[in-house]
Amino acid sequence: MIDKITILIPHVLMAIAVWRLLLRDDLDHDGLAEPPTRSFRRGRPGDGDSGGA
Amino acid sequence: MLDLFFLAFVGLFIFAGLKRPFLLVLAYTYIDIVAPQKVAYGFLTSIPISLVTFALAFGTWAVLDDKRGTRVSFRQLLLVALLGYCGLTTLGADFPDEAFEKWSWVWKALLFAIFLPLTLRTRLRIEALTLFMVLSIAVIVIGGGIKTLAGGGGYQTLKLLVNDNNGLYEGSIISCVAFAVIPLIVWLVRHGTIFPKSKLVVLFALGLSFACMLMPIGTQARTGLVCGAVLAVLSLRTVKHRMLYLGALGALSLAALPLLPTSFTERMSTIENHKSDQSASTRVAVWKWTIEYAKANPLGGGFEVYRQNKLVYETIDEEKAGDNNIALETSTIVEEGRAFHSSYFEMLGEQGFPGLALWLMLHGLGVWQMELLRRRYRSREEPELKWIAPLANALQQAQIVYLVGSLFVGIAFQPFCYMLVGLQCGVWTYARRLQARPIAAPPSMAKTRTLTA
């Protein structure tokens, strides 16, 4: 019985964590430690190194 | 019933991972630590969930994950070197069959540790991995803690989820890992965003930390007591009110002493006098054998090389013999095939001096790099940076606890500890990517500046 309760609690917490992670936009990109995106067409007006995802 | 529960949980986890592939990395972390196929011992044992999850995690990362700016740390290269070297020693091992059996799980632990930092691209991923490592350990530790409180403890008798006495389900190992995890629990409470700080979160963290501290009592593992003492000393560095902390620690220890089982205090007292305790004497004899073996075989003998050892040593028991007299009884013990009981000697015997050097460099660099991060970011108060120094500190503490525990337990290739290494590498490369970006200077500086790596 103890084993079943103690298995359940952390698993419920992990399930909640998975759900919250699914809803978070910053899981895959947080815009902080990423290199700036580069346009392969250099020299065009308005193109250039621009930060962000 | 348990099979169905675990199957459903893993299935939902994998299903969620198909939407957000990083969740598959967390799923593999969970499966590797908890080993639900061992806990359930039913039809789940016939399903290769570990292999399937790793293949999915790696495959989706390779195809779908953003790899811009991915960096490989020097420690990952050390892991690659260690992986290759262990493969070579396995090919020429003194005990080929046994060596291949150990190699069959070691290479997976090393490979995952090499791969893991490549996926830790965001702060949230780093936090999520830390959280899942802690909650996976909680699956084992919470039950162990409750059983200890209920009086179900004892040396090699405390029944954790799996009656295996292997890996994380072995008493000394779980005692060491349980203490290593406590700094991570504290960091998650203070800086977690998945479960932000609240009364419930603090309550759970306190309960989990308490359960971790009960593990050496329940398992009567002396290693656990030593790890606990080391963590208590390390915490002095970062705790705000040192005298209050020391006072509370002393008071709690004194209050707890009368409540401890007699068998526990008797076993702990053998730390001082190893000569009268056979298991401690065996350790010393094995270590002496390993040094001699390494001198003759400097490149190592492959996994499980300890099987060829034959140890002869003496134990000394003291008995009272009348007034003011003590009789010393010497017994000669002969044992064969005794395990290393130390990660350092495990590396020396199995992988020789090159393997030991790689392993020491891997962990030594970890302690140093976390110290660098701690110093570099400790005064940063920006929300996107202020979590780094405390996490580096927590990871450093966890690693030092592991390294001290490793003195007495053969956990050189324990997968959880390589996840810790992978997490450290991930934090290190994340911080380096941060440094390479233009960021706003601290409020005390007037100009924006770019930090070079």
Side-chain angles (χ1 to χ4, degrees), chain A residues 3 11 20 24 28 30 33, chain B residues 20 30 125 147 194 433:
Chain A
D3 282 343
H11 281 83
R20 290 182 178 184
R24 293 275 296 257
D28 297 324
D30 62 9
Chain B
R20 295 293 197 106
Y30 155 78
R125 287 186 178 191
K147 286 172 187 171
I194 301 169
R433 289 203 307 274

Side-chain angles (χ1 to χ4, degrees), chain B residues 180-253:
Chain B
V181 148
I182 291 176
L184 302 181
I185 297 171
V186 173
W187 180 82
L188 283 165
V189 169
R190 290 186 177 153
H191 299 275
T193 61
I194 301 169
F195 291 105
K197 191 173 181 178
S198 67
K199 282 183 189 166
L200 269 178
V201 168
V202 171
L203 203 61
F204 179 78
L206 282 172
L208 181 57
S209 301
F210 183 57
C212 289
M213 290 181 212
L214 285 176
M215 291 316 296
I217 298 172
T219 58
Q220 293 188 3
R222 289 167 295 194
T223 306
L225 185 69
V226 173
C227 289
V230 166
L231 183 60
V233 169
L234 288 174
S235 300
L236 277 171
R237 208 173 163 212
T238 47
V239 77
K240 278 185 186 163
H241 307 287
R242 285 195 183 128
M243 296 314 294
L244 186 64
Y245 169 76
L246 282 171
L249 207 61
L252 274 169
S253 305

